[in-house]
Amino acid sequence: MCVKKCIEQGNIFFGIERVPAIARLVKKGRTVRSTGYRKELHIASIPCKEAEKCANIIADIYKMSCGIIPNFLNLTMTPSNPILHTTRLRTIFKDWKDGIIYSGLPLFYEEWDNASSELLFKCDEEVQDICRALPEYNLQFVKSLKEHYESFTIEEMTRKISSIDAFKGLKTPAVMLNSGGLIPDLHSRYFTADFSFGLAIIKQIADMAGVSTPNIDDTLEWYDNIAIMKKCFKYSDYGIRERNDFDELYLL
């Protein structure tokens, strides 16, 4: 499987639930500015029993508290960029096709709108549906984005995201043409990573759990129609084709 051979050799695979801070490039090769430091980090590992050891290392490196998450599936399912970025991109570029050129684009977060919040809510709820279908995994750390941002209506979410200081000034990923117009930057990690190695994974987990995800499906289909890079993560490439294979990885 993905990390099975590595684990069998005595190694530990681990990850952090969310980044400790937001880093922005100031001067390439010279300066990076970090803002929005979290008060606490959370970590999970494969095998699960090694999480405490990893948490102590991370806590020492970042000099902040680091809690333990029951299993790595909680990290895989965390609806951060795979929901936040993908729903916003689909909303901004919903009508885009080759040949359409924009004279201007909204700031990615600072000019967040209700349409983006509405789609985010729908996809976020589908993630929670998946969690409810997998009670044996104790997915309590897969918090809804409503809870994460303390915003429980579409309008509250729009106000919250557009007002976060660490997000201000960030542009929508786009390429400026010689004519001065803009088209989506389909090589941006917002596209290449968050759909193919984020939302696509959540969709595959939904299929294994037998959960319907119409809004996630539509968002992935939209991206597939415009994507330049067609490569995406597939569990089947690593021998994970049935639920037993899935459990063997995440419950190790």
Side-chain angles (χ1 to χ4, degrees):
M1 296 180 189
C2 312
V3 294
K4 186 175 182 182
K5 291 183 178 180
C6 184
I7 299 301
E8 288 175 345
Q9 293 172 3
N11 297 299
I12 303 168
F13 183 79
F14 71 93
I16 303 174
E17 177 196 23
R18 293 175 183 267
V19 294
I22 296 173
R24 300 294 172 220
L25 181 66
V26 176
K27 188 174 182 180
K28 190 173 182 178
R30 296 290 298 276
T31 311
V32 173
R33 179 182 293 114
S34 293
T35 59
Y37 277 89
R38 300 190 184 282
K39 295 180 180 179
E40 183 179 23
L41 299 173
H42 293 92
I43 196 169
S45 69
I46 302 175
C48 301
K49 64 181 181 180
E50 304 293 351
E52 183 175 359
K53 180 188 300 183
C54 297
N56 291 336
I57 294 172
I58 294 300
D60 183 60
I61 291 173
Y62 289 105
K63 307 304 179 187
M64 63 176 70
S65 175
C66 186
I68 296 172
I69 290 177
N71 55 65
F72 206 89
L73 186 58
N74 279 269
L75 266 62
T76 304
M77 290 288 295
T78 296
S80 183
N81 292 354
I83 299 295
L84 190 69
H85 287 173
T86 58
T87 55
R88 178 61 168 157
L89 289 170
R90 181 187 170 194
T91 304
I92 292 174
F93 295 116
K94 62 182 184 299
D95 298 321
W96 186 82
K97 59 183 179 180
D98 193 26
I100 292 180
I101 300 174
Y102 300 92
S103 58
L105 289 167
L107 292 171
F108 197 78
Y109 296 107
E110 201 170 346
E111 295 180 297
W112 191 278
D113 59 15
N114 286 342
S116 300
S117 293
E118 183 177 3
L119 182 57
L120 181 150
F121 272 31
K122 291 176 179 178
C123 291
D124 181 65
E125 184 58 29
E126 290 175 359
V127 170
Q128 292 303 311
D129 287 342
I130 299 168
C131 292
R132 286 188 281 269
L134 297 169
E136 65 273 33
Y137 276 92
N138 186 15
L139 296 172
Q140 60 177 305
F141 282 88
V142 186
K143 292 183 178 180
S144 165
L145 290 174
K146 295 178 184 178
E147 183 179 349
H148 179 73
Y149 288 114
E150 299 178 326
S151 303
F152 299 94
T153 68
I154 289 172
E155 293 75 16
E156 286 176 349
M157 183 65 75
T158 298
R159 286 195 296 271
K160 176 67 174 183
I161 294 179
S162 62
S163 67
I164 297 174
D165 286 338
F167 287 170
K168 289 186 175 180
L170 296 179
K171 297 179 179 180
T172 294
V175 175
M176 179 170 286
L177 305 176
N178 292 334
S179 63
L182 299 166
I183 60 173
D185 182 2
L186 298 177
H187 292 285
S188 164
R189 65 179 177 84
Y190 280 37
F191 283 102
T192 60
D194 295 325
F195 284 95
S196 301
F197 297 90
L199 195 61
I201 293 175
I202 292 174
K203 166 59 180 171
Q204 291 171 65
I205 296 171
D207 289 343
M208 289 188 194
V211 176
S212 173
T213 55
N215 293 284
I216 289 176
D217 294 356
D218 288 349
T219 301
L220 285 168
E221 182 179 358
W222 169 81
Y223 175 64
D224 189 57
N225 287 330
I226 66 170
I228 290 176
M229 299 177 64
K230 297 293 186 178
K231 180 182 178 182
C232 74
F233 177 90
K234 294 181 180 179
Y235 279 108
S236 60
D237 290 343
Y238 299 91
I240 303 173
R241 297 181 176 86
E242 299 178 355
R243 180 64 186 273
N244 287 342
D245 302 325
F246 186 78
D247 291 343
E248 184 178 342
L249 171 63
Y250 283 106
L251 294 178
L252 181 63

